Amino acid sequence: MIFLLNYYKIIDVFSIGEILLAVFIFIAIHYWRINRNTPMTIWPIMGMLPSLIHNVSNFPDYINSLLQQNGGTIIFEGPWLTKMKIVFTSDSMNVQHITSTKFENYGKGNDFEEIFEVLGDGIFRSDFHIWKYNRTLLHSIFKQENFQVFLHKTIEKKIFSSLLVFLDHACKNGLQVDLQDIFHRLTFDNICSIVLGSDPLCLSIDLPEIECERAFTYADNTFFLRHVKPKFFWKLQKWLQIGDEKKFTENRKIVDQWLYSKIKSKKEMQGEQQFDLVSIILRQSIGDGKNPIDDENKFLRDTSINLLAAGRDTIGSALTWFFWLVATHPIVEAKILEEIKENLPSRKDNWKYLGVEVLNKLTYLHGTICEVLRLYPPLPFEHKSSLKSDVLPSGHKIKSNTKILYSLYSVGRMEKLWGEDCLEFKPERWISKKGGIIQVPSYKFIAFNAGPRTCLGKDISFIEIKMIAASILMNYQIQVVEDHPIIPSISVILHMRHGLKVNVKKRSI
């Protein structure tokens, strides 16, 4: 009886909730002690999610370390009852298997479609016949001579009318510049002009805040959070219209209204001879009865938003990492400059002019860009989902509807693929003894994806990056601000979290 009285007194002093909390803390400490020396702790109820959340601020390097320690493939399991299971891999044979050998078995999947719903039925989100139609159409346009000439002139015009003007202004006034922000503005202006035939003028001396460009920036963060949050949680936020999902919805409306207004304007100008992508599509037959398009406006909207996202974020990311690496490796910078001077045409003001013929001769610059993309691919992860059960070359069994993320970031840092110096920045690894570019299999150099989904814009990307990089390097010295932190951002795109702060000085000829 005395024992029972004491028991009830304890219950009075400590609530049931407090007792359960104490038990949970005891179990958590016990699991932590058992797993404290392992990189991915498996927690009761929560699975591996706490370890993932704890390391989310350094996600690419964290996953890379896990893959390096576990033979290139790991299986992540989330909280109980959430069905949150992800296979991470950087095994090049697995990548080749997924992207090429068994391509038909690995699509984007339902999870990807839900996370990136804003992309509609565009090329990056679609599968099967819709994807094939998108790819065939865009491939035919990219190969048209008129479009290629328009592309080069558009980029060249923007470099001379906006980029060099802004950098001259920064030089004269001794301004510290966030080069990442400048590249985002520049590439957004470029891709809008190329796709929509309309320049939003994000890059100008006063650096205006453009609503549609800001809306694109916000989307990156939401996409990443949807990957790490349990699906039921972010879907609940979306349904209740709270938190990140509410802001995402607001920004999506801004983008949609802007895109549809541009599409309407292009239709009204259909009689004029224009070579932007939307104008070319409108001149071609869309409703030929052999394609899956029901709504022309939606098709143009989906196509546009996919290309705008790719043309802004990936090129902007590549340029940012390029200038950080080149600015901190003066020998590489000197070699690029020497190569440009050797290949410039003999003409007045030639050091500011770069035509397609000259660009194709810049082998060392091309190798430098490849090396940047190897170490810092703009898309650090690619998302796939299995249709049927399968076995990967690594021996891992894959059930149907399994989410797979292969790490482009980690593939570029594997010692068995790139040698003991895999973490070093060495453009020379891309140059053959005869002075040409060494061709590397796409499942090894995977910055542009591999297999049937290899990036259609690969050649366009190299042209734009070379034009911008050469124009800046010939005109200016870029000096990274001392002690400026260089840390990847928490995003689906490999941006720099704190931007790239630099001082710009005029280069003497």
Side-chain angles (χ1 to χ4, degrees):
M1 181 65 72
I2 294 173
F3 171 78
L4 288 174
L5 288 172
N6 289 335
Y7 173 78
Y8 285 117
K9 286 180 180 178
I10 292 172
I11 295 296
D12 286 339
V13 175
F14 299 103
S15 69
I16 295 296
E18 290 172 324
I19 294 172
L20 290 174
L21 178 62
V23 171
F24 178 80
I25 291 173
F26 173 79
I27 294 173
I29 292 173
H30 173 69
Y31 269 80
W32 176 80
R33 290 183 65 184
I34 293 174
N35 296 283
R36 66 183 183 275
N37 293 320
T38 62
M40 183 72 90
T41 303
I42 303 175
W43 298 87
I45 302 175
M46 297 302 292
M48 300 175 178
L49 187 60
S51 297
L52 188 67
I53 293 174
H54 178 68
N55 292 280
V56 76
S57 62
N58 195 27
F59 191 71
D61 282 311
Y62 173 62
I63 295 298
N64 179 52
S65 67
L66 292 178
L67 292 170
Q68 299 282 2
Q69 295 171 39
N70 291 276
T73 305
I74 57 172
I75 298 176
F76 168 85
E77 295 188 16
W80 296 352
L81 305 178
T82 63
K83 297 182 180 180
M84 191 178 181
K85 185 175 181 178
I86 307 172
V87 176
F88 287 92
T89 188
S90 60
D91 186 309
S92 59
M93 292 299 99
N94 285 349
V95 173
Q96 185 180 28
H97 181 85
I98 293 165
T99 59
S100 300
T101 309
K102 289 290 186 73
F103 171 74
E104 298 296 336
N105 190 49
Y106 294 93
K108 291 296 186 179
N110 293 332
D111 283 346
F112 184 93
E113 290 180 3
E114 290 177 339
I115 290 171
F116 293 93
E117 59 183 327
V118 71
L119 298 180
D121 292 325
I123 190 169
F124 297 121
R125 182 174 175 264
S126 57
D127 279 322
F128 311 117
H129 62 291
I130 297 179
W131 164 77
K132 190 173 183 179
Y133 176 77
N134 276 309
R135 187 174 179 88
T136 302
L137 176 66
L138 292 175
H139 183 262
S140 70
I141 293 174
F142 289 172
K143 292 297 182 182
Q144 292 179 21
E145 185 178 352
N146 285 337
F147 179 75
Q148 292 181 1
V149 171
F150 168 75
L151 174 82
H152 188 276
K153 287 184 176 179
T154 299
I155 297 170
E156 185 179 69
K157 179 181 177 182
K158 192 66 189 179
I159 289 172
F160 294 140
S161 66
S162 295
L163 177 62
L164 299 185
V165 171
F166 175 83
L167 293 176
D168 274 340
H169 172 74
C171 284
K172 292 174 183 177
N173 292 277
L175 301 178
Q176 191 177 98
V177 175
D178 179 359
L179 213 50
Q180 179 169 259
D181 178 51
I182 299 307
F183 289 145
H184 283 169
R185 292 169 178 272
L186 172 66
T187 54
F188 191 69
D189 284 349
N190 274 339
I191 196 62
C192 286
S193 297
I194 293 165
V195 174
L196 301 168
S198 174
D199 185 347
L201 302 175
C202 295
L203 180 56
S204 58
I205 288 176
D206 56 344
L207 298 179
E209 185 173 285
I210 306 298
E211 192 176 41
C212 57
E213 196 266 347
R214 183 188 62 192
F216 265 89
T217 300
Y218 187 83
D220 286 347
N221 299 328
T222 304
F223 291 151
F224 181 82
L225 291 173
R226 284 183 175 184
H227 275 88
V228 298
K229 288 179 183 177
K231 187 192 295 187
F232 78 88
F233 183 73
W234 70 259
K235 280 199 165 186
L236 180 63
Q237 283 188 312
K238 181 184 174 184
W239 183 65
L240 295 173
Q241 281 298 287
I242 58 175
D244 299 316
E245 292 296 326
K246 180 183 179 181
K247 292 181 181 178
F248 180 76
T249 300
E250 292 169 351
N251 282 284
R252 175 175 179 169
K253 289 178 180 177
I254 291 170
V255 171
D256 281 349
Q257 289 172 359
W258 173 67
L259 282 176
Y260 280 119
S261 70
K262 294 300 178 185
I263 291 167
K264 182 181 178 182
S265 296
K266 298 310 294 183
K267 285 189 168 185
E268 292 171 352
M269 299 167 64
Q270 239 177 302
E272 301 179 21
Q273 189 75 347
Q274 298 182 75
F275 297 102
D276 58 88
L277 192 134
V278 170
S279 293
I280 293 174
I281 292 176
L282 285 170
R283 284 200 297 271
Q284 295 183 189
S285 175
I286 295 180
D288 59 6
K290 298 179 182 179
N291 60 65
I293 297 168
D294 296 320
D295 185 335
E296 184 179 81
N297 283 341
K298 183 179 183 301
F299 172 76
L300 292 170
R301 177 263 179 209
D302 292 350
T303 300
S304 297
I305 198 170
N306 277 253
L307 297 178
L308 292 177
R312 170 191 182 265
D313 292 328
T314 56
I315 303 297
S317 169
L319 283 165
T320 303
W321 292 104
F322 174 92
F323 274 94
W324 172 61
L325 287 167
V326 170
T328 53
H329 292 79
I331 294 177
V332 172
E333 181 182 43
K335 288 183 177 180
I336 294 173
L337 286 168
E338 185 62 29
E339 180 181 65
I340 292 171
K341 291 175 183 177
E342 288 176 358
N343 288 283
L344 282 172
S346 179
R347 54 181 285 176
K348 184 181 179 181
D349 222 15
N350 62 3
W351 70 290
K352 285 188 176 183
Y353 175 83
L354 286 169
V356 176
E357 291 183 5
V358 174
L359 293 175
N360 290 335
K361 295 178 183 178
L362 303 181
T363 305
Y364 191 80
L365 175 59
H366 189 100
T368 303
I369 296 168
C370 290
E371 184 71 345
V372 171
L373 295 173
R374 176 184 74 86
L375 289 169
Y376 297 97
L379 281 171
F381 296 93
E382 268 289 349
H383 189 145
K384 294 288 185 180
S385 180
S386 56
L387 296 177
K388 300 177 182 178
S389 298
D390 192 19
V391 179
L392 297 178
S394 61
H396 291 82
K397 295 181 179 179
I398 303 295
K399 295 181 179 180
S400 61
N401 204 32
T402 296
K403 186 188 296 184
I404 301 172
L405 292 180
Y406 53 90
S407 173
L408 288 71
Y409 185 85
S410 188
V411 170
R413 294 160 181 266
M414 294 182 67
E415 187 173 319
K416 69 178 182 179
L417 290 179
W418 300 99
E420 294 181 358
D421 61 353
C422 60
L423 298 182
E424 295 180 31
F425 177 60
K426 291 178 61 176
E428 289 76 14
R429 76 173 79 243
W430 295 90
I431 312 299
S432 69
K433 292 180 180 179
K434 294 182 178 180
I437 290 291
I438 295 174
Q439 299 302 316
V440 177
S442 57
Y443 60 85
K444 177 180 175 181
F445 176 53
I446 198 170
F448 293 96
N449 216 330
R453 278 193 180 263
T454 297
C455 178
L456 281 174
K458 179 179 178 179
D459 292 339
I460 294 174
S461 299
F462 272 110
I463 288 173
E464 184 171 2
I465 293 170
K466 285 179 184 178
M467 290 179 70
I468 294 169
S471 297
I472 292 176
L473 288 172
M474 289 189 298
N475 286 276
Y476 310 99
Q477 290 178 311
I478 303 298
Q479 299 173 342
V480 179
V481 171
E482 191 174 352
D483 297 326
H484 177 67
I486 304 296
I487 305 169
S489 63
I490 304 174
S491 170
V492 293
I493 304 294
L494 200 65
H495 298 308
M496 291 185 180
R497 191 181 310 175
H498 304 290
L500 180 59
K501 298 294 179 65
V502 301
N503 293 311
V504 183
K505 292 186 178 181
K506 198 75 175 176
R507 189 181 295 279
S508 57
I509 303 173

